[in-house]
Amino acid sequence: MFLLDDGWFGNGENARNHDRAGLGDWEVNHAKLPKGIGELCDAAAEAGVKFGIWIEPEMVNPRSELYAKHPEWVIRQPNRETYYYRNQLVLDLSNPEVQDYVFSVVDRILTEHPRVAYFKWDCNSPITNVYSPYLKERQGQLYVDHARGVTEVMRRVKEKYPDVPMMLCSGGGARCDYEALKYFTEFWCSDNTDPIERCYIQWGFSQFFPAKAMCAHVTSWNKTASVKFRTDVASMCKLGFDLGLKDLTPDDLAYCQTAVANWKRLQPVILDGCQYSISCV
């Protein structure tokens, strides 16, 4: 499977050319993808792979058409200076209208492009500027109602598209829990993909979640570590690659190809086998 990450959406002054614009405007960027998502699905099919796509539907940039149309949909304190974490704000999922919008983001992509075979659902900001225009005098309910709203959207997506695998990407944002596993097939444990750090991260996750719930990718992080070591660590979970294959040496590329074949052969053991934690006293 080939996954298209961030940067494919937004147009004009709201084009997603950096992290300061575009979130909330889930229309294909015409300059980057003049023939749209459909052409990417065609290209993937011709190459014999599936096509997946990244979204962050719970968030909005102030530089977006959505924010201009619906500033009341954003969690933001009135009459106070706004704090922007990663240049974005959180949509108010306590509001049923906002829930419908977030659901429509996924629904429209899958309705228009049924060959989209995977979603990477990101969440890169905690709730900041805590105030809900929708709840008005009931601000004490915000965290509870917002979490329930997020879960309701996830439930609706899963109910309509039960066979579409989805990664919940925000391990560092503490989105990983068993409630979420009702609606997602795996977690992205952390953006930290240093293989040495990953040993600790994946070990920690393994105390609570099975290997099949964890995505682990080979990246260029910590180039002092061999491609073999990086691949071996990632092979402990759901294996993927986030690096330029054309930059690999022929030997490293051959190793990765062999590792993928071995991982597929051993997949029943890696993902569904019994795992025992050994403690040293």
Side-chain angles (χ1 to χ4, degrees):
M1 177 181 291
F2 173 81
L3 173 71
L4 178 64
D5 214 291
D6 194 354
W8 58 268
F9 51 90
N11 288 285
E13 64 180 12
N14 299 325
R16 185 69 169 178
N17 297 321
H18 42 68
D19 68 359
R20 299 183 299 278
L23 285 179
D25 298 346
W26 299 100
E27 300 290 339
V28 168
N29 183 291
H30 303 309
K32 296 178 182 178
L33 301 173
K35 296 184 180 179
I37 295 173
E39 182 182 37
L40 297 179
C41 292
D42 292 340
E46 290 176 9
V49 297
K50 297 179 181 178
F51 175 75
I53 200 165
W54 178 97
I55 54 171
E56 193 178 8
E58 303 165 54
M59 303 291 163
V60 66
N61 285 127
R63 280 183 55 184
S64 66
E65 186 176 334
L66 179 67
Y67 186 83
K69 287 183 177 179
H70 294 287
E72 77 282 4
W73 282 7
V74 175
I75 293 176
R76 180 174 175 270
Q77 292 177 334
N79 304 318
R80 291 193 179 186
E81 184 178 354
T82 302
Y83 170 70
Y84 298 99
Y85 185 85
R86 291 176 62 116
N87 303 303
Q88 62 193 64
L89 296 169
V90 182
L91 292 175
D92 184 3
L93 270 294
S94 70
N95 185 338
E97 276 191 286
V98 180
Q99 294 175 32
D100 288 341
Y101 169 76
V102 173
F103 171 77
S104 75
V105 171
V106 180
D107 188 39
R108 185 175 67 253
I109 293 173
L110 285 175
T111 299
E112 295 177 356
H113 307 286
R115 287 184 296 172
V116 170
Y118 185 86
F119 272 100
K120 178 179 179 180
W121 183 310
D122 216 337
C123 175
N124 281 315
S125 175
I127 297 177
T128 58
N129 313 286
V130 182
Y131 180 85
S132 166
Y134 173 76
L135 291 175
K136 297 182 173 65
E137 291 82 16
R138 297 184 298 113
Q139 296 302 314
Q141 284 291 114
L142 175 55
Y143 278 99
V144 174
D145 288 359
H146 179 83
R148 287 174 174 168
V150 171
T151 301
E152 174 61 14
V153 173
M154 293 175 176
R155 183 198 64 78
R156 290 172 63 184
V157 171
K158 184 67 174 179
E159 186 175 84
K160 187 168 182 181
Y161 303 101
D163 299 323
V164 178
M166 296 195 184
M167 177 208 292
L168 185 54
C169 176
S170 190
R175 301 297 296 278
C176 302
D177 57 50
Y178 274 98
E179 176 69 19
L181 275 183
K182 290 181 180 179
Y183 315 111
F184 290 83
T185 45
E186 61 251 23
F187 297 128
W188 180 245
C189 307
S190 173
D191 280 345
N192 184 347
T193 55
D194 181 318
I196 296 174
E197 298 290 340
R198 269 280 172 161
C199 287
Y200 293 98
I201 292 169
Q202 291 169 198
W203 178 84
F205 262 78
S206 74
Q207 307 303 301
F208 298 92
F209 298 106
K212 70 191 305 178
M214 295 184 275
C215 279
H217 292 181
V218 182
T219 73
S220 58
W221 199 325
N222 190 351
K223 292 182 179 179
T224 61
S226 67
V227 169
K228 180 184 185 305
F229 180 61
R230 284 181 264 164
T231 305
D232 288 349
V233 172
S235 294
M236 297 177 186
C237 307
K238 284 189 172 177
L239 174 64
F241 290 83
D242 280 332
L243 77 172
L245 299 181
K246 66 180 181 179
D247 297 326
L248 296 178
T249 67
D251 286 346
D252 283 342
L253 181 58
Y255 176 79
C256 291
Q257 291 170 331
T258 301
V260 169
N262 285 334
W263 189 91
K264 289 181 177 179
R265 179 172 56 85
L266 296 171
Q267 180 176 331
V269 176
I270 296 171
L271 298 188
D272 293 305
C274 295
Q275 179 173 319
Y276 299 89
S277 295
I278 300 175
S279 298
C280 298
V281 180

